[in-house]
Amino acid sequence: MDLDFALTEQKPAKPTTTSTTDEKAKYEKWMKTNKLSLMIMKRSISDHIKGAIKDNGNAKDFLSAIGQKFLESDKAEIVSLINSLSTIKYDLVGNVRDHIMKLVNIATKLNNLGVTITDDFLVHQSLMSLPEQFNQLKTTYNAQKDKWSIDELITICVVEEVRIQKEKVEGVVNFVSSSRSADYPSYKRKGGPKFHKKKHGHSQHPGGNSGHL
């Protein structure tokens, strides 16, 4: 049995008493393949899509409605992906490689849906999604004539992130060191308390009180 018969042929007129044997056979064939095609399609799609499609009992119309529904779904997905590509920002959580790869994945999906995202645009958008800690890198890119590929951008950003993290650690160490130095008593930094001899057998303590030796 040709399962696509009902999908490629219009529904024949219902046979009458004057219909020929071939006309009756064609009608019976169409009815059987139409019923089978509808059953297969309904089993192959999810319930929420099935419920959104009007079923008039014609497999060809049902298939056309499915195509239209997926076309509408593609449009909604395109809008969502473009919005994500434009708004996703790197917040220094995780690592910059994974962040850029997420943008690459979005661009790939858009290209597959017929929306062309060039490498140049993706590099630009990736740079714009980076926080101010990467401003030096952005300035370098904008000042040069050569363009980076997305792979080159990932490599450069990974190196830059290592530099940023190193500077951050060094800054914390210097801050802690300075704080400890400021909080440490001055007489301890100079070798401990010193006693100064005074006349008549008295000594001067660091706190300013005098006492007998």
Side-chain angles (χ1 to χ4, degrees):
M1 181 182 293
D2 298 328
L3 292 178
D4 62 344
F5 183 73
L7 301 176
T8 57
E9 298 289 336
Q10 293 295 332
K11 182 180 180 180
K14 188 174 182 179
T16 64
T17 55
T18 60
S19 298
T20 65
T21 302
D22 287 343
E23 289 173 339
K24 292 179 180 179
K26 183 177 181 180
Y27 179 80
E28 289 297 325
K29 180 180 180 180
W30 189 94
M31 291 296 291
K32 288 180 180 179
T33 57
N34 180 70
K35 182 178 180 179
L36 186 57
S37 295
L38 276 173
M39 182 180 67
I40 292 174
M41 284 188 286
K42 289 179 179 180
R43 288 182 177 179
S44 302
I45 60 177
S46 59
D47 290 338
H48 74 277
I49 294 178
K50 188 191 309 180
I53 298 174
K54 184 178 180 180
D55 180 12
N56 63 359
N58 186 302
K60 188 175 183 179
D61 292 344
F62 192 77
L63 180 61
S64 178
I66 292 175
Q68 182 62 35
K69 186 60 62 177
F70 274 102
L71 181 60
E72 294 172 0
S73 177
D74 284 350
K75 290 180 180 178
E77 185 178 5
I78 287 172
V79 172
S80 176
L81 289 171
I82 290 177
N83 183 60
S84 295
L85 187 62
S86 303
T87 58
I88 288 179
K89 303 295 182 183
Y90 181 44
D91 55 5
L92 300 178
V93 175
N95 60 75
V96 71
R97 181 192 297 275
D98 288 347
H99 167 72
I100 297 177
M101 288 306 300
K102 184 186 296 183
L103 297 180
V104 171
N105 184 48
I106 293 173
T108 300
K109 290 181 178 179
L110 284 169
N111 283 323
N112 291 338
L113 289 170
V115 180
T116 302
I117 303 296
T118 65
D119 280 353
D120 288 346
F121 177 81
L122 185 55
V123 168
H124 172 78
Q125 192 61 38
S126 297
L127 282 169
M128 293 303 99
S129 71
L130 300 178
E132 61 181 9
Q133 287 85 346
F134 288 82
N135 282 351
Q136 182 178 332
L137 180 62
K138 297 177 187 179
T139 301
T140 300
Y141 179 76
N142 292 329
Q144 67 179 16
K145 294 182 179 180
D146 295 336
K147 295 180 179 180
W148 296 337
S149 69
I150 195 66
D151 290 336
E152 289 172 331
L153 175 66
I154 291 174
T155 300
I156 293 170
C157 284
V158 168
V159 173
E160 181 68 4
E161 185 167 52
V162 171
R163 183 191 68 79
I164 292 170
Q165 291 173 344
K166 183 179 179 181
E167 287 186 351
K168 182 178 180 180
V169 171
E170 290 176 349
V172 171
V173 171
N174 290 336
F175 175 78
V176 172
S177 178
S178 299
S179 298
R180 288 179 176 176
S181 178
D183 293 339
Y184 204 63
S186 60
Y187 68 83
K188 290 186 178 181
R189 294 200 303 270
K190 296 178 181 179
K194 295 182 179 180
F195 296 90
H196 303 284
K197 291 184 178 181
K198 295 184 68 177
K199 293 180 180 181
H200 308 298
H202 290 78
S203 63
Q204 184 68 36
H205 289 273
N209 296 322
S210 60
H212 294 285
L213 289 175

